[in-house]
Amino acid sequence: MKKSYNVCLKDTVETFTKRLFYALFDEEQQVTHASYLETTFLKTLSKLSIEGGKEKWEGFKQNLPEIRRQLDLDAIAFENNDPASYSLEEIYLAYPGFYAISIHRLSHALYKLKVPILPRMMSEYIHGITGIDIHPGATIGESFYIDHGTGIVIGETSIIKDNVKIYQGVTLGGIQVSKDLAQVKRHPTINENVTIYANATILGGDIVIGAHSIIGANVWITQSVPENSLVTYQTEIKIRPKKNGIQ
């Protein structure tokens, strides 16, 4: 007989994640959903055969004020960097990148508390909504800015320090895919004040992108970059008039 899995928990975790996000920013929602969030968390961990649910929930709640502080700094970074933003309220309500980093900071707190499975389910929910794939294990500093965001992949052992900007299609990945590397740092470190433009790929656990560097679009990096560097990919593009109207 085949083993049964609680796949219906995907729906439960989706609702839990949304209400947790709402409660983080809305005091009325905190009151409305407080009992639901705790009860659902405990039931979910029970169905996943995870022990110590009550202690983990209390530990998680203690992290929420700090998560909110970090997210307010993230929102300000969005407002300061995106000329298309017109208010902080717009960022909280309408920016997929901000939604993605919000759920990441929540799931990362659970990851650090050694709660298995649930953080990954939360990150996969927001991945499906935004197209932004951040593993809950990734460590992300303050004032993180994602522009557009679709197609971003940030691996489990990535370290991103303060005031980093990342554009759509960026991959912070591993250079090798091997199960025996599970406990090894496989993904790069991005130091302070780095900007990484669209579709850049940075691979390897030993790779460090130096502070204040700019990584241009479409580059492929498998070696460390000194601080204050500009890394670009050059290709020749020719623009010329058509002859005799022939395309």
Side-chain angles (χ1 to χ4, degrees):
M1 184 177 179
K2 293 182 179 179
K3 183 177 178 180
S4 179
Y5 293 92
N6 291 306
V7 292
C8 61
L9 282 176
K10 292 168 73 71
D11 291 337
T12 301
V13 171
E14 176 180 330
T15 302
F16 171 81
T17 303
K18 287 192 290 187
R19 292 187 180 180
L20 183 60
F21 174 77
Y22 299 156
L24 194 61
F25 296 103
D26 187 324
E27 290 185 3
E28 182 177 335
Q29 294 291 313
Q30 286 180 24
V31 175
T32 301
H33 296 316
S35 178
Y36 164 84
L37 290 171
E38 179 173 359
T39 300
T40 303
F41 180 87
L42 296 177
K43 286 183 177 179
T44 300
L45 264 58
S46 177
K47 288 186 176 182
L48 293 171
S49 301
I50 300 169
E51 297 181 352
K54 186 68 174 178
E55 293 77 13
K56 287 179 169 56
W57 176 249
E58 292 301 321
F60 178 60
K61 285 198 302 182
Q62 291 177 13
N63 283 288
L64 294 178
E66 173 61 14
I67 291 171
R68 172 61 193 269
R69 184 193 70 82
Q70 290 178 323
L71 288 170
D72 287 340
L73 292 177
D74 294 328
I76 292 168
F78 276 70
E79 184 180 42
N80 289 342
N81 284 288
D82 187 0
S85 69
Y86 293 96
S87 68
L88 275 172
E89 185 174 24
E90 181 181 21
I91 290 157
Y92 286 100
L93 296 178
Y95 271 56
F98 181 75
Y99 196 12
I101 187 60
S102 296
I103 303 307
H104 171 74
R105 294 203 186 279
L106 291 165
S107 66
H108 182 66
L110 291 171
Y111 180 93
K112 290 197 298 182
L113 289 167
K114 301 189 184 303
V115 176
I117 306 176
L118 177 57
R120 191 64 185 271
M121 293 177 74
M122 293 168 64
S123 69
E124 285 307 308
Y125 159 68
I126 199 64
H127 178 198
I129 296 294
T130 65
I132 299 168
D133 183 3
I134 310 176
H135 193 286
T139 300
I140 299 178
E142 296 189 345
S143 300
F144 183 51
Y145 171 57
I146 296 172
D147 196 10
H148 301 296
T150 304
I152 285 176
V153 177
I154 300 175
E156 179 183 19
T157 60
S158 299
I159 297 174
I160 299 173
K161 297 190 179 178
D162 297 346
N163 302 305
V164 169
K165 296 183 283 187
I166 292 184
Y167 289 73
Q168 68 272 17
V170 166
T171 297
L172 304 182
I175 200 166
Q176 294 181 341
V177 180
S178 177
K179 193 66 177 178
D180 60 6
L181 297 176
Q183 303 303 316
V184 175
K185 189 178 186 304
R186 308 179 304 281
H187 307 98
T189 295
I190 313 300
N191 278 332
E192 296 85 354
N193 301 301
V194 168
T195 299
I196 308 174
Y197 283 106
N199 300 311
T201 298
I202 306 172
L203 304 178
D206 295 333
I207 303 306
V208 176
I209 305 301
H212 310 286
S213 292
I214 295 175
I215 308 301
N218 301 308
V219 300
W220 178 279
I221 295 176
T222 56
Q223 64 185 56
S224 292
V225 172
E227 65 180 29
N228 295 303
S229 295
L230 172 63
V231 182
T232 59
Y233 171 78
Q234 292 185 340
T235 186
E236 186 178 10
I237 298 175
K238 294 182 179 180
I239 301 175
R240 59 186 186 276
K242 294 180 289 186
K243 294 182 179 179
N244 300 322
I246 299 174
Q247 296 186 14

